[in-house]
Amino acid sequence: MSSLETKELEFARQVRRALDENAASIPSATVDRLAMARRAALARKKPETVSAPVFVPALA
């Protein structure tokens, strides 16, 4: 793992820790609005395309 990847992972851990620690202090009205926004976004999400494996003939 490179130094940059290590720094990025540490930053991500710090952000996650800060979000987790402060999530309890978010007003319930805000939590409700965020939940509604998330549901709306998921409802608009385009379905993911499923790709089938492609077999390429090989000469023996």
Side-chain angles (χ1 to χ4, degrees), residues 23 26-41:
I26 297 174
S28 62
T30 302
V31 171
D32 292 342
R33 284 197 333 262
L34 288 169
M36 286 175 34
R38 182 176 191 276
R39 283 192 297 272

Side-chain angles (χ1 to χ4, degrees), residues 3-56:
S3 175
L4 179 60
E5 289 173 324
T6 303
K7 288 179 183 178
E8 288 176 346
L9 284 173
E10 181 56 31
F11 177 73
R13 286 187 191 104
Q14 290 173 352
V15 169
R16 183 180 65 197
R17 192 175 323 119
L19 290 171
D20 288 344
E21 290 172 358
N22 293 297
S25 65
I26 297 174
S28 62
T30 302
V31 171
D32 292 342
R33 284 197 333 262
L34 288 169
M36 286 175 34
R38 182 176 191 276
R39 283 192 297 272
L42 288 173
R44 288 190 306 269
K45 181 182 175 200
K46 295 179 183 174
E48 294 181 21
T49 58
V50 178
S51 60
V54 177
F55 296 100
V56 179

